[in-house]
Amino acid sequence: MASPYHLRSSILVLLLVTASAWEEEKKTFIVQVQHDAKPSIFPTHRHWYESSLGEATSIIHTYETVFHGFSATLSAAEVENLESLSHVIALIPEQVRQLHTTRSPHFLGLNTADRAGLLKETDFGSDLVIGLIDTGISPESQSFNDRDLGLPPPNWKGQCVAGKGFPPNSCNRKLIGARYFCGGYEATNGKMNETLEYRSPRDTDGHGTHTASIAAGRYVFPASIMGYAKGMAAGMAPKARLAVYKVCWNAGCYDSDILAAFDAAVADGVHVVSLSVGGVVVPYHLDVIAVGAFGASEAGVFVSASAGNGGPGGLTVTNVAPWMTTVGAGTIDRDFPADVILGNGKVIGGVSVYGGPGLSPGRLYQLVYAGSDGYSSSLCLEDSLDPKSVRGKIVVCDRGVNSRPAKGQVVKNAGGVAMILANGPFDGEGLVADCHVLPATSVGAAGGDQIRRYISLASQLRSPPTATILFRGTRVGVKPAPKVASFSARGPNPVSPEILKPDVIAPGLNILAAWPSTIPPSSLPSDHRTTDFNILSGTSMACPHVSGLAALLKAAHPEWSPAAIRSALITTAYTLDNGGDGGTLLDESTGNASSVFDYGAGHVHPEKAINPGLVYDISTYDYVDFLCNSNYTAHNIRVITRKVADCSGAKRAGHAANLNYPSLSAAFQQYGKQGSRMSTHFIRTVTNVGDPNSIYRVTVAAPADTDVTVEPDTLAFRRLGQKLNFLVRVQTREVKLSPGSSTVKTGSIVWSDAKHTVTTPLVVTMHQPL
């Protein structure tokens, strides 16, 4: 059938402005051109690109796969000249992105001893390639050994680019590709300081090594950090191949470099892209990550991206395009208790992975709150503490501004013997374990308040406040778990409220994974300890869990599209914890029940995802319909998709929420009076990937005060790959809301054939405009 969309390449100029004001004459831009328009007089596209630039202008990157064109530093006159050309489409301000910074395979149910299951059925992902866009890698880690691995997949076209600290033999049959991209970074910051950074794929941060081993690390035993979390370390897809694309440097991760990494990864032949990086949320045509991910998805590459660490506040989720799988963070059933024992006998729970000499057993130390000397000292910022006030004492520091381990170094430099790091109200009760440089523990906001009250009361009574810290090691089998991690970014989706984000959550709190032995575990220059593994937290850690799982699912089902893989993960996710009482996943920051805007469809369940029964598939043209119905102009759609869209055909899809997404989100604006009816509908298509002859019946859990009907209520499949449609009608009434406020109600649509359970979250949001 003829497509309503013209697939001809566009000529596109994306001008990635590297600052809000033009302080210099030249700035970095990305220019995309009509690939087939090159005049024959030019031997290569690069020669053609250079012909339109001044003699002093050099090209930074060329783009050939997910994006056609080049990046360069351009003068204002060159920009004006390009804007005057008929093939110039868009100017996009560049973002500088930041990183979203053991036992998790066991917690997810991926056990090596099982004779069947996802790991065995896929040969641990050995024929799949995961591309990590991150800070590089430490290739000598045992997590990346190639023992018993065969040759790379035959269609692999990647390279192992040598450089400082990364000789040509750094790659092997596990790490089959390594590249680095720094042109955008250097265009803004000048030539890198190679005494501090490596112009190579070598990881000088640790983040990239950590995320790579979460996705696809080999089995390593023993693994631990400073005696904590002892056991076997393994990634999600232990035999999957890795290709790393280093784009993050000391000053951040620049869009032009990220786009170059997407372009290279897809051309190289990766099956999955894992991106634990994010920035400010903008419309998709202004978001280079969304643009690069669209090109990757169109090429059949699954893109997993971290949701961000802006939680627990709402509307904080990032990387929200519907062609990416957005991953929030949950806890696992392991923690590292380090309790504060106050002089009055009260015990305040905390966590830590401090592994050095402890405090003297049985002794209580004088306790002081640094905040009594002002704001800087309350946060234990550098040079803010008076040694006379803290020497020999345990110091209470507030969380924020500088890194958590850095606060401990400040206390240590001032002569303090230990530190208690207290959450603020925004952080709530979410606790992150750190490898501190002195005896230290982190406590929640309520515990911090208790400790400060004790200090204040003891001082009033002229009785010195005292305390100690008791380190209890590693505790497993913690219940309830998982919880939604306090820092995990939350919905609703700030760009497309019709698309529920995050999609799912995965382990992201206190995750043990590989670490460069040349980088101290605290990442502080003053820390001279070394370790081969480290514990980090963040949606950065959750994202590669899903990347590895996606590789396993692709290995089990090579014919599945990225949308089908995402559907399998979403419709089989769970929302109940292991507490035994059937309770909904809790929010770590409050201890209360969490919601769909916190966890999306729920926590991933790998062993169910391999056989989901039905999937919701999405084509490139479905995404174009979605963009049309989201009121993107044809111009802006062309920026995202490289296609000229005829949006007249999109009307058949009805509205943006009819994208065939495996969740249902109805957003109502209230303009009438209380009690008046509001309604919408969703059209969905499911594909049978379970049993050839199967009959699915629907169960509706309607949101409160909402009528939900599904037509038909039975789907009868006669063959694999068969597609059937159904219609969901949602009707509710306006409720009394104050201007600017919203109310959210949740439910679900569940299809079951007695063997498979296919759960689709349903969320109804009612908003009262200002």
Side-chain angles (χ1 to χ4, degrees):
M1 185 172 64
S3 165
Y5 312 109
H6 306 293
L7 299 182
R8 63 186 176 87
S9 300
S10 64
I11 286 196
L12 177 62
V13 178
L14 297 187
L15 305 183
L16 300 188
V17 184
T18 57
S20 58
W22 281 22
E23 300 171 359
E24 306 293 339
E25 289 186 1
K26 289 196 170 189
K27 294 297 175 185
T28 302
F29 295 83
I30 294 177
V31 183
Q32 186 173 18
V33 301
Q34 185 175 335
H35 210 50
D36 56 4
K38 179 182 69 68
S40 59
I41 60 172
F42 297 106
T44 67
H45 281 84
R46 188 181 186 94
H47 286 91
W48 179 37
Y49 302 155
E50 289 173 340
S51 71
S52 62
L53 304 174
E55 291 185 3
T57 301
S58 59
I59 288 175
I60 299 170
H61 297 301
T62 60
Y63 308 102
E64 300 289 339
T65 306
V66 301
F67 213 72
H68 295 148
F70 64 95
S71 54
T73 53
L74 303 175
S75 67
E78 287 171 318
V79 169
E80 186 176 356
N81 174 60
L82 287 168
E83 287 181 318
S84 70
L85 301 176
S86 60
H87 49 266
V88 172
I89 305 297
L91 310 179
I92 300 183
E94 182 173 51
Q95 284 195 55
V96 182
R97 315 283 179 150
Q98 301 298 328
L99 299 166
H100 286 155
T101 208
T102 129
R103 187 173 161 82
S104 50
H106 178 273
F107 182 68
L108 288 168
L110 296 174
N111 298 318
T112 60
D114 291 346
R115 296 191 176 185
L118 189 54
L119 285 175
K120 293 292 187 182
E121 289 184 30
T122 62
D123 190 26
F124 301 79
S126 64
D127 289 331
L128 277 293
V129 184
I130 302 173
L132 274 292
I133 298 178
D134 214 295
T135 67
I137 197 166
S138 292
E140 63 277 358
S141 169
Q142 278 303 301
S143 291
F144 311 124
N145 77 74
D146 64 355
R147 188 170 52 253
D148 300 326
L149 287 180
L151 292 172
N155 62 344
W156 177 246
K157 304 179 184 69
Q159 300 177 20
C160 190
V161 178
K164 182 181 177 183
F166 204 90
N169 63 353
S170 296
C171 293
N172 56 21
R173 293 185 178 187
K174 174 67 174 179
L175 177 62
I176 61 174
R179 300 176 184 259
Y180 64 95
F181 302 91
C182 57
Y185 165 59
E186 291 188 311
T188 298
N189 299 281
K191 191 174 182 180
M192 76 173 65
N193 183 346
E194 295 194 44
T195 63
L196 300 176
E197 299 187 87
Y198 284 74
R199 189 184 296 277
S200 77
R202 164 70 59 180
D203 185 7
T204 56
D205 178 274
H207 187 275
T209 300
H210 200 269
T211 56
S213 68
I214 292 172
R218 304 299 302 275
Y219 292 101
V220 180
F221 179 85
S224 67
I225 174 169
M226 306 297 165
Y228 290 87
K230 292 180 180 177
M232 179 181 288
M236 295 296 97
K239 284 189 178 180
R241 316 308 173 102
L242 284 168
V244 299
Y245 302 86
K246 181 179 177 180
V247 301
C248 295
W249 307 86
N250 284 352
C253 324
Y254 286 76
D255 273 355
S256 49
D257 295 332
I258 293 172
L259 189 58
F262 265 113
D263 204 62
V266 174
D268 288 347
V270 305
H271 301 92
V272 174
V273 165
S274 187
L275 182 73
S276 291
V277 171
V280 177
V281 174
V282 293
Y284 304 132
H285 66 285
L286 300 176
D287 184 349
V288 165
I289 288 180
V291 172
F294 186 93
S297 178
E298 187 177 32
V301 176
F302 180 92
V303 179
S304 174
S306 49
N309 296 340
L315 283 167
T316 52
V317 63
T318 67
N319 295 324
V320 295
W323 45 86
M324 293 190 286
T325 299
T326 310
V327 188
T331 67
I332 61 174
D333 60 345
R334 178 185 67 195
D335 66 8
F336 309 98
D339 298 337
V340 177
I341 301 174
L342 299 177
N344 61 8
K346 288 188 177 179
V347 178
I348 310 295
V351 299
S352 177
V353 287
Y354 169 71
L359 299 173
S360 298
R363 177 183 171 184
L364 294 176
Y365 295 78
Q366 194 166 342
L367 183 64
V368 61
Y369 174 46
S372 57
D373 292 331
Y375 177 72
S376 294
S377 58
S378 73
L379 294 166
C380 296
L381 302 182
E382 190 170 358
D383 297 326
S384 67
L385 300 182
D386 181 0
K388 294 180 182 177
S389 301
V390 305
R391 186 174 292 115
K393 300 176 182 177
I394 297 177
V395 181
V396 179
C397 303
D398 292 337
R399 183 173 167 181
V401 182
N402 56 340
S403 77
R404 298 180 299 270
K407 296 176 188 292
Q409 187 64 57
V410 171
V411 171
K412 186 176 181 180
N413 291 344
V417 297
M419 176 183 69
I420 299 170
L421 182 59
N423 282 357
F426 182 79
D427 301 303
E429 302 309 305
L431 300 180
V432 178
D434 293 297
C435 193
H436 292 286
V437 296
L438 84 171
T441 188
S442 295
V443 300
D449 289 342
Q450 267 191 277
I451 293 169
R452 284 186 287 267
R453 283 196 300 268
Y454 165 67
I455 293 172
S456 176
L457 181 61
S459 299
Q460 292 172 18
L461 297 174
R462 297 187 179 181
S463 172
T466 58
T468 190
I469 302 173
L470 185 60
F471 299 93
R472 301 185 183 276
T474 303
R475 182 175 62 172
V476 296
V478 174
K479 294 183 179 182
K483 300 177 184 177
V484 179
S486 177
F487 55 77
S488 187
R490 316 298 169 96
N493 186 329
V495 180
S496 302
E498 306 88 353
I499 304 298
L500 181 62
K501 294 284 182 173
D503 289 302
V504 291
I505 62 171
L509 180 71
N510 300 332
I511 303 300
L512 181 77
W515 189 253
S517 59
T518 55
I519 300 175
S522 67
S523 296
L524 298 175
S526 57
D527 186 359
H528 301 296
R529 297 172 297 177
T530 62
T531 181
D532 293 326
F533 292 89
N534 202 359
I535 285 175
L536 297 184
S537 297
T539 55
S540 275
M541 285 63 250
C543 169
H545 279 90
V546 168
S547 305
L549 295 178
L552 294 178
L553 292 176
K554 184 69 173 178
H557 303 283
E559 73 284 2
W560 281 9
S561 68
I565 294 171
R566 178 174 57 249
S567 174
L569 291 166
I570 287 176
T571 62
T572 59
Y574 63 91
T575 59
L576 303 180
D577 61 36
N578 67 356
D581 58 357
T584 301
L585 302 181
L586 298 181
D587 184 341
E588 188 197 25
S589 67
T590 63
N592 299 325
S594 54
S595 76
V596 291
F597 288 150
D598 303 328
Y599 53 69
H603 195 284
V604 291
H605 195 314
E607 292 294 348
K608 284 191 176 180
I610 193 175
N611 186 14
L614 305 175
V615 295
Y616 295 78
D617 211 352
I618 304 176
S619 72
T620 297
Y621 302 115
D622 294 330
Y623 290 127
V624 175
D625 281 346
F626 163 78
L627 293 168
C628 289
N629 288 322
S630 298
N631 297 320
Y632 280 77
T633 64
H635 169 278
N636 292 339
I637 294 171
R638 191 177 178 187
V639 173
I640 300 164
T641 66
R642 309 179 312 284
K643 296 172 177 61
V644 177
D646 177 3
C647 282
S648 62
K651 294 177 181 177
R652 292 194 303 271
H655 53 84
N658 276 341
L659 179 69
N660 199 39
Y661 214 74
S663 57
L664 305 170
S665 178
F668 293 110
Q669 295 280 355
Q670 295 195 161
Y671 291 108
K673 54 187 178 181
Q674 186 177 343
S676 61
R677 290 182 178 274
M678 299 180 296
S679 64
T680 190
H681 72 279
F682 304 92
I683 301 170
R684 290 294 187 267
T685 303
V686 285
T687 305
N688 182 23
V689 296
D691 298 325
N693 291 290
S694 51
I695 298 176
Y696 285 81
R697 292 180 173 83
V698 72
T699 301
V700 176
D705 303 315
T706 303
D707 295 325
V708 179
T709 59
V710 179
E711 302 172 5
D713 60 5
T714 301
L715 298 175
F717 293 94
R718 296 293 174 257
R719 66 182 186 277
L720 288 176
Q722 183 179 357
K723 297 177 183 293
L724 293 176
N725 302 327
F726 64 92
L727 173 70
V728 180
R729 298 187 188 276
V730 177
Q731 187 175 81
T732 188
R733 293 181 181 273
E734 289 200 16
V735 296
K736 186 175 182 180
L737 292 173
S738 58
S741 65
S742 300
T743 183
V744 179
K745 307 170 184 178
T746 61
S748 63
I749 306 293
V750 181
W751 292 99
S752 178
D753 66 347
K755 181 178 179 181
H756 306 92
T757 301
V758 186
T759 303
T760 302
L762 170 61
V763 56
V764 175
T765 304
M766 302 165 75
H767 179 69
Q768 186 71 40
L770 290 169

